[in-house]
Amino acid sequence: NSLGLLSCVVSQWCGAACESRRIWLRRQHRSSARASVDLMLQQWERGAATGLVAAVLLEWRSLADSGAKLRFRKRAHESVTLALKKWEVGTWRALMMAIVSSWRRAGDASKQERVR
C-alpha cells in the first residue's frame, strides 16, 4: 500500500517536473526568438550597420548589468561571511581574519593575472 502511494506521488512529481521543464523551454525559445526579431527590426529600421551596433550595445549593457548583479551577490556573501566570523571568533579577531583573507585573495588574483 505504501509502495503504491509512493509510486503515485513520484509519477505525479515527474509529470509536474516535465511540465515545468516544457514551460521553461517554451519561454527560452520565445525570448531568443524575440531577441532575433528585435535585431532584425533594428537592422531594417536603421540600416544594417547601425542596427547591428545598437543590438551589440544592448547586449553589452545586459551583460554589464548581470556582472553588476554578480558583484552585488559576492559582496553580500562576503558580508554574511564576515558577520559569521565576528560571531564565531569575536570582533577584533574576525576583522583581522577578514583582512588577511582579503589580502590573500587579492594576491591570488594578481598572481593569476600575471600568469595570463
Side-chain angles (χ1 to χ4, degrees), residues 53-113:
V53 168
V56 167
L57 288 176
L58 285 174
E59 185 66 27
W60 174 78
R61 182 174 181 180
S62 70
L63 288 173
D65 288 344
S66 66
K69 287 178 186 176
L70 182 63
R71 285 190 300 275
F72 176 76
R73 286 184 189 148
K74 283 183 181 179
R75 258 190 241 130
H77 184 268
E78 287 178 6
S79 297
V80 169
T81 304
L82 179 61
L84 288 173
K85 283 181 182 178
K86 281 182 182 178
W87 175 77
E88 187 177 83
V89 181
T91 306
W92 177 255
R93 195 164 175 199
L95 182 61
M96 293 304 292
M97 287 175 60
I99 290 170
V100 169
S101 65
S102 177
W103 177 71
R104 282 184 184 157
R105 275 184 297 204
D108 291 343
S110 66
K111 185 177 179 181
Q112 287 178 354
E113 286 296 320

Side-chain angles (χ1 to χ4, degrees), residues 1 7 9 14-15 20 30 34 37 39 44-45 54-55 57 59 61 71 74 76 85 87 89 92-94 98 100 114:
N1 216 358
S7 173
V9 168
C14 286
S20 67
R30 285 181 190 155
R34 183 181 174 112
V37 168
L39 174 63
W44 179 71
E45 287 174 348
L57 288 176
E59 185 66 27
R61 182 174 181 180
R71 285 190 300 275
K74 283 183 181 179
K85 283 181 182 178
W87 175 77
V89 181
W92 177 255
R93 195 164 175 199
V100 169
R114 281 185 267 147

